[in-house]
């Protein structure tokens, strides 16, 4: 995509998403929360390969397939999306409750 204000519409229409594993407002997590199958392509040249850590954990948990740029085509050819597990919904209220306790609001 060229620059878009939001990828939400495209994400809802997608049958498969291929994305990087960058941090920040993570498109990976947004994709998984939409219930879309995801292949994460890591960029080994960025900041000590920080993307690999997220990709590996999501893969170990059974939610994504991952590869680097070199193996993208092979991953697409051999992928089995049927084995991916749904990503559990977030529970932001738990984080809020924890923060309330830490700062003494409860």
């Amino acid at each position: 995509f060229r620059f878009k204000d939001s990828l939400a519409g495209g994400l809802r229409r997608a049958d498969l998403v291929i994305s990087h594993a960058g941090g920040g407002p993570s498109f990976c997590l947004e994709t998984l929360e939409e219930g879309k199958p995801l292949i994460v392509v890591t960029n080994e040249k960025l900041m000590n390969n920080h993307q690999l850590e997220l990709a590996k954990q999501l893969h170990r948990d059974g939610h994504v397939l991952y590869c680097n740029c070199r193996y993208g085509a092979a991953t697409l050819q051999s992928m089995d999306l049927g084995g991916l597990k749904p990503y559990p919904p977030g529970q932001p209220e738990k984080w809020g409750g924890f923060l309330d306790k830490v700062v003494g609001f409860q």
Side-chain angles (χ1 to χ4, degrees), residues 10-81:
L11 180 57
R12 281 190 295 276
R13 291 187 303 273
D15 294 321
L16 170 68
V17 176
I18 301 171
S19 177
H20 69 90
S26 180
F27 189 64
C28 287
L29 298 181
E30 188 177 338
T31 299
L32 292 172
E33 288 170 352
E34 277 290 325
K36 301 297 181 172
L38 175 62
I39 298 176
V40 176
V41 181
T42 62
N43 184 341
E44 298 169 330
K45 296 179 182 178
L46 292 178
M47 291 188 247
N48 299 321
N49 203 11
H50 71 284
Q51 294 185 4
L52 185 58
E53 187 176 349
L54 175 61
K56 278 186 173 181
Q57 186 61 54
L58 290 172
H59 178 73
R60 276 192 295 266
D61 293 342
H63 304 300
V64 304
L65 299 176
Y66 79 97
C67 62
N68 61 25
C69 291
R70 182 179 305 145
Y71 295 105
T75 300
L76 286 170
Q77 291 170 344
S78 66
M79 69 182 179
D80 176 12
L81 301 176

Side-chain angles (χ1 to χ4, degrees), residues 80-94:
D80 176 12
L81 301 176
L84 295 178
K85 297 177 187 175
Y87 189 74
Q91 298 176 323
E93 65 281 353
K94 285 187 176 183

